[in-house]
Amino acid sequence: QEGSLCAQHCLNNLLQGEYFSPVELSSIAQQLDEEERMRMAEGGVSSEEYRTFLQQQPSVNMDDSGFFSIQVISNALKVWGLELILFNSPEYQRLGIDPINEKSFICNYKEHWFTVRKLGKQWFNLNSLLMGPELISDTYLALFLAQLQQEGYSIFVVKGDLPDCEADQLLQMIRVQQMQRPKLIGEEAVQSRDQRLSRGDVDQAIEVNHPFDGTGMLDEDEENFQRALALSRQEIDMEDEEADLRRAIQLSMQGSRRSELSGSLPQNVPQSSHSSQTESLSSEELRRRRQAYFEKQQQQLQQQNQTPNLQDKAALSSSTPESGPGGDMSEEDMLQAAMNMSLESVRNHLNSEEEK
């Protein structure tokens, strides 16, 4: 394929030789334009149709890109005694044409032309946009033509005897096999360019995410980094679990203290307002109430154990903190006593649950 001279390539591929040049096809196009101008002038050079015709582009049969019309191709083939018949036209139907029994087809879509020809006993797609001929099996030929029609191609059957060619004579004796379909012109270049761009993007991403320090230890550094990251996550998880456990124990002890302290308050004080009233009490008043609560607990224990043995006395003395001067208990002693009593109540509760 050279430029947009697909019509020239189409004819030369059909005839299997350099029979037409762009200059020769341009001469045929100019001759057709002159014949058409003369026919339009028969209606009068001053007519509206003639003036409109002259205002059109310089030629309707060719353009500067190298495109040539079907009229140019048809006139060029007449030199060789060849005729074009539109596929599935009334004349095509009248002649009862069977594609498999023909010799060649010319296909056109917009401004592109290419040839499908039988060489020897096999069909080939001689599209000039391909890197080489494409083999078409006899069973695939009808499907291939039908597919072209669905894509909008105009298909013409070439009727007449084509000139002899070396390829036809050679393929009469042997059959060819094609393992891979030929690529389109430029397709391989586009694929290689895309692969280069893809590799470049990957290399750039690796360089950004893992800069190479020149030591040749990129894989080892990455492995060490992943291992350190995993250990760090495990330590964070363990710290979180320990913090949750400590928080649960603290909340449990606070709940036990509040439940015990609530019993020392007067019965006429609502439990719902206990928190707000406790906050308003002074530290001295709170200390006196705690001391009164512990004294009351000691009296109850003494009444229940009128004759305690030595072991009970030792246990009672160990569980009851010593009072300071004047019978007062320090804040630390009262807190320790509250913790001991809370633990004792928990043990009693567990024992009662086990007995049940």
Side-chain angles (χ1 to χ4, degrees):
Q1 177 73 35
E2 297 178 2
S4 299
L5 298 174
C6 52
Q8 175 198 355
H9 301 314
C10 174
L11 291 171
N12 289 335
N13 285 335
L14 173 68
L15 302 174
Q16 287 293 293
E18 297 292 333
Y19 292 100
F20 292 100
S21 66
V23 176
E24 293 172 336
L25 295 178
S26 298
S27 176
I28 295 174
Q30 292 173 357
Q31 182 180 355
L32 291 173
D33 290 338
E34 182 62 22
E35 292 176 358
E36 188 172 356
R37 187 190 66 78
M38 293 177 61
R39 286 195 299 269
M40 294 295 297
E42 292 177 356
V45 293
S46 60
S47 64
E48 186 67 24
E49 291 84 358
Y50 184 75
R51 287 198 299 268
T52 303
F53 173 78
L54 293 179
Q55 292 174 0
Q56 294 177 355
Q57 58 181 350
S59 174
V60 294
N61 293 294
M62 67 177 182
D63 58 23
D64 296 337
S65 67
F67 168 76
F68 295 98
S69 66
I70 181 60
Q71 288 80 10
V72 174
I73 294 178
S74 179
N75 278 32
L77 291 177
K78 287 179 180 179
V79 177
W80 293 91
L82 300 174
E83 179 185 4
L84 296 180
I85 299 177
L86 182 63
F87 197 79
N88 283 337
S89 64
E91 186 177 4
Y92 179 94
Q93 299 293 341
R94 180 179 61 82
L95 295 175
I97 296 175
D98 185 1
I100 198 67
N101 296 327
E102 299 303 316
K103 293 294 184 180
S104 58
F105 301 92
I106 286 180
C107 307
N108 167 250
Y109 179 69
K110 294 184 177 180
E111 296 183 355
H112 181 60
W113 300 88
F114 70 91
T115 294
V116 177
R117 173 172 171 170
K118 191 173 188 179
L119 293 170
K121 299 178 181 180
Q122 295 174 287
W123 285 92
F124 294 91
N125 176 13
L126 304 179
N127 193 335
S128 58
L129 295 180
L130 295 175
M131 297 293 294
E134 178 185 13
L135 180 63
I136 301 176
S137 64
D138 292 347
T139 55
Y140 181 63
L141 177 63
L143 181 61
F144 178 73
L145 296 176
Q147 180 181 354
L148 291 178
Q149 280 191 307
Q150 290 182 352
E151 294 175 358
Y153 277 83
S154 298
I155 303 176
F156 300 89
V157 182
V158 181
K159 301 295 291 184
D161 295 329
L162 295 170
D164 293 334
C165 65
E166 182 180 359
D168 185 62
Q169 295 174 1
L170 180 62
L171 292 176
Q172 290 288 348
M173 298 180 291
I174 61 174
R175 296 178 64 89
V176 299
Q177 293 183 353
Q178 191 170 48
M179 305 303 296
Q180 186 177 3
R181 177 187 178 276
K183 296 181 180 180
L184 290 170
I185 294 177
E187 181 180 358
E188 188 171 4
V190 172
Q191 290 180 352
S192 60
R193 183 192 63 185
D194 293 342
Q195 291 176 358
R196 288 196 302 271
L197 292 176
S198 178
R199 286 195 297 268
D201 294 340
V202 172
D203 295 340
Q204 185 177 4
I206 294 176
E207 183 178 356
V208 171
N209 294 321
H210 306 288
F212 186 66
D213 56 2
T215 62
M217 300 297 291
L218 180 61
D219 295 338
E220 184 177 354
D221 293 343
E222 177 68 17
E223 183 178 356
N224 294 334
F225 172 75
Q226 295 294 339
R227 187 181 300 109
L229 183 60
L231 292 175
S232 176
R233 289 173 178 171
Q234 293 179 358
E235 293 176 357
I236 292 174
D237 294 339
M238 293 175 62
E239 291 176 359
D240 292 341
E241 293 179 357
E242 293 177 358
D244 293 339
L245 180 59
R246 288 196 299 270
R247 191 178 299 108
I249 294 174
Q250 183 178 1
L251 292 175
S252 175
M253 293 176 63
Q254 290 178 357
S256 300
R257 292 171 191 167
R258 290 178 180 174
S259 61
E260 293 172 359
L261 291 175
S262 62
S264 66
L265 296 177
Q267 295 181 357
N268 58 354
V269 179
Q271 293 295 327
S272 61
S273 60
H274 167 67
S275 177
S276 61
Q277 292 185 9
T278 302
E279 293 176 356
S280 63
L281 295 177
S282 63
S283 59
E284 183 65 22
E285 181 67 19
L286 183 60
R287 188 183 64 80
R288 285 198 300 270
R289 292 192 178 187
R290 288 176 178 172
Q291 183 176 356
Y293 168 75
F294 290 126
E295 291 176 353
K296 182 178 179 181
Q297 293 292 331
Q298 291 177 3
Q299 292 176 3
Q300 291 178 355
L301 291 174
Q302 290 175 0
Q303 291 176 0
Q304 293 176 359
N305 303 296
Q306 293 293 334
T307 56
N309 54 26
L310 294 177
Q311 184 178 359
D312 295 335
K313 290 181 179 180
L316 180 61
S317 61
S318 63
S319 63
T320 305
E322 297 181 357
S323 300
D328 293 340
M329 299 175 65
S330 64
E331 293 288 337
E332 183 177 356
D333 293 338
M334 287 187 288
L335 179 59
Q336 183 64 38
M339 291 176 62
N340 292 336
M341 296 182 68
S342 175
L343 294 174
E344 183 67 24
S345 62
V346 171
R347 283 195 294 269
N348 293 335
H349 176 72
L350 292 175
N351 292 333
S352 61
E353 290 293 332
E354 290 178 357
E355 293 176 358
K356 291 180 180 180

